Amino acid sequence: MELISIKALWGMTGKIEEQLERIASAGYKGVEAGMNVSGESKRFLKLLEANNLKYIAQVVTLRESVDWRVHLASFREQAQQAAEMGALLINSHSARDCMSYDDQCRFFEQALSIEKQLGITVGHETHRGRAFFTPWTTAKLLAEFPELRITADISHWFCVCESWLQDQGVHLTLSAERTIHIHGRIGYPQGPQVPHPAAPEYKTELEIHETFWDKVYAERLAQGASHFTFTAEFGPPGYMHTLPFTKQPVADLWEICLWMTKRFEQRLSSKYN
């Protein structure tokens, strides 16, 4: 199974040409981004090809609405564009946490139909504010829809549950079985992003995330998957801690993402090679 390390464009600056060249030079195999990069999708795809980079499309349904039909229309439009761009897969922020369970089911029933029609794989992200914002709401929907797949970003769950998820073993097992893509950010019980994943004070959080990622990798192997995608999706200030008054970031975003990516690659190499 091929490991495809992905770099999110979130937080990167400079011209898109420079960003993609830097990503490729660092050894990444693909990028993850929305579909309006620089407003020129054709040019973006040519630049990806020139740098031998794959593409994961980010879909974000309209958070301003609680109407499942509005979310579905938004999902359909963006998924169609992602398919036309030849995305490897879609990572989708889907539906809302405050929707009724019945409306969430209506959304995902139709989203699965769209996924099948377009012939593109979709992972619905475990994200705050969305339908998969907790381990238990995720498990309930996964049980309802056996074909539903997720992008696992359990950093959000650390924050929402305000814990190390030590009482969520059953839900985590099911989630690992259904994960097709990982967002490798380290969360902690008071937030979705530690200041730096290498900091010794966050050793426990790092180990818990990595243990879960190991389970996901083992599941994908057992399922006979041809590839495994991993995005170390740490974010810029807002997500990243800053110093009071100065708003100076406490760490370098590029360095953090690369550190997490290389650590994951080395971990898999030592365990499976």
Side-chain angles (χ1 to χ4, degrees), residues 31-258:
V31 301
E32 184 169 343
M35 286 159 290
N36 294 316
V37 180
S38 301
E40 301 179 28
S41 60
K42 290 183 179 179
R43 178 168 168 269
F44 175 61
L45 290 177
K46 288 181 179 179
L47 289 171
L48 287 177
E49 184 178 5
N51 287 281
N52 196 28
L53 293 170
K54 301 181 186 301
Y55 174 53
I56 291 179
Q58 291 182 334
V59 165
V60 180
T61 66
L62 291 176
R63 191 162 184 164
E64 294 78 9
S65 175
V66 296
D67 188 332
W68 71 272
R69 300 172 188 83
V70 173
H71 282 262
L72 184 66
S74 174
F75 175 82
R76 179 184 289 110
E77 179 182 2
Q78 294 176 75
Q80 176 69 49
Q81 185 178 356
E84 292 172 354
M85 292 178 70
L88 180 64
L89 62 90
I90 289 172
N91 172 55
S92 182
H93 291 201
S94 301
R96 285 291 308 278
D97 54 354
C98 55
M99 282 181 183
S100 70
Y101 178 70
D102 287 345
D103 280 354
Q104 289 176 348
C105 286
R106 293 182 180 100
F107 172 86
F108 285 111
E109 181 180 23
Q110 294 300 314
L112 283 168
S113 178
I114 292 169
E115 177 181 351
K116 185 176 293 186
Q117 290 169 11
L118 294 175
I120 188 169
T121 304
V122 180
H124 300 274
E125 187 176 343
T126 60
H127 202 288
R128 288 169 298 151
R130 299 297 182 169
F132 294 146
F133 73 113
T134 72
W136 52 91
T137 55
T138 300
K140 187 175 182 180
L141 285 163
L142 293 180
E144 185 79 32
F145 298 101
E147 295 181 357
L148 204 56
R149 298 294 181 266
I150 64 175
T151 293
D153 186 344
I154 64 170
S155 69
H156 291 285
W157 288 351
F158 272 61
C159 179
V160 171
C161 299
E162 203 171 357
S163 75
W164 289 334
L165 307 179
Q166 59 267 43
D167 57 349
Q168 296 298 314
V170 173
H171 298 147
L172 288 171
T173 295
L174 177 58
S175 295
E177 292 171 356
R178 299 291 194 86
T179 297
I180 60 165
H181 179 45
I182 286 177
H183 273 186
R185 184 173 60 244
I186 308 300
Y188 66 117
Q190 280 72 48
Q193 180 170 306
V194 299
H196 198 300
E201 58 266 39
Y202 295 107
K203 178 182 178 182
T204 298
E205 284 82 359
L206 177 63
E207 289 177 348
I208 295 171
H209 282 76
E210 289 183 325
T211 298
F212 176 77
W213 300 341
D214 288 345
K215 291 179 181 178
V216 175
Y217 190 84
E219 287 291 339
R220 295 295 284 162
L221 268 179
Q223 294 163 11
S226 62
H227 60 268
F228 186 89
T229 53
F230 179 91
T231 304
E233 199 210 30
F234 287 81
Y239 264 70
M240 182 179 289
H241 291 217
T242 57
L243 297 175
F245 306 108
T246 67
K247 295 184 179 181
Q248 286 295 111
V250 298
D252 180 86
L253 179 59
W254 173 266
E255 187 273 330
I256 286 177
C257 292
L258 189 59

